Amino acid sequence: MVKAGLVRCEAAMRICPGTSCFRAIREKAGSFARYSDEEIEIIGMVPCGGCPGRDAVRQAAEMVRRGAEVIFLSTCMIKPIPSEPVCRYSGEIAEAIRKKTGVEVVMGTH
């Protein structure tokens, strides 16, 4: 079983309920296809804290403390989904999470 945490764009969450992320998890599609032979447990799904991702690292570290083995930056942080703009901080956020937690950070969910 893999234990995953998701970080999503705070602005995008105002218009996106996260259904595509949860569908990708359930169907083991998109970035979750790598876990086709495993169960996936979601430890948490948190907002980034707003630009420039001011709370993402702390939130990710808390999910790791609670058991997350991998952190996903939701698709809304790396593509213009559900709307523009693309998060210009996603690369920095991913690197900061890797440095602080030591876990893999996957870019995108679906």
Side-chain angles (χ1 to χ4, degrees):
M1 174 185 299
V2 64
K3 296 179 181 185
L6 286 78
V7 177
R8 62 193 299 213
C9 171
E10 187 163 307
M13 70 181 249
R14 293 183 192 126
I15 59 174
C16 176
T19 52
S20 293
C21 290
F22 285 110
R23 183 179 334 112
I25 294 163
R26 185 177 61 255
E27 296 175 359
K28 296 182 179 173
S31 295
F32 293 95
R34 65 174 65 192
Y35 304 112
S36 63
D37 295 333
E38 295 183 63
E39 243 183 272
I40 302 169
E41 179 182 342
I42 300 303
I43 299 300
M45 183 179 204
V46 299
C48 68
C51 295
R54 61 187 134 197
D55 207 26
V57 177
R58 186 193 66 76
Q59 291 271 42
E62 183 61 23
M63 288 189 288
V64 170
R65 189 182 76 73
R66 295 178 185 216
E69 302 163 324
V70 59
I71 299 293
F72 287 80
L73 293 190
S74 295
T75 299
C76 58
M77 292 191 68
I78 62 162
K79 292 183 180 178
I81 299 170
S83 61
E84 297 283 347
V86 172
C87 174
R88 64 177 167 228
Y89 306 105
S90 61
E92 294 170 31
I93 291 167
E95 186 55 35
I97 291 170
R98 281 185 200 101
K99 267 181 128 169
K100 176 141 182 125
T101 66
V103 301
E104 178 184 13
V105 178
V106 177
M107 303 298 277
T109 48
H110 54 85

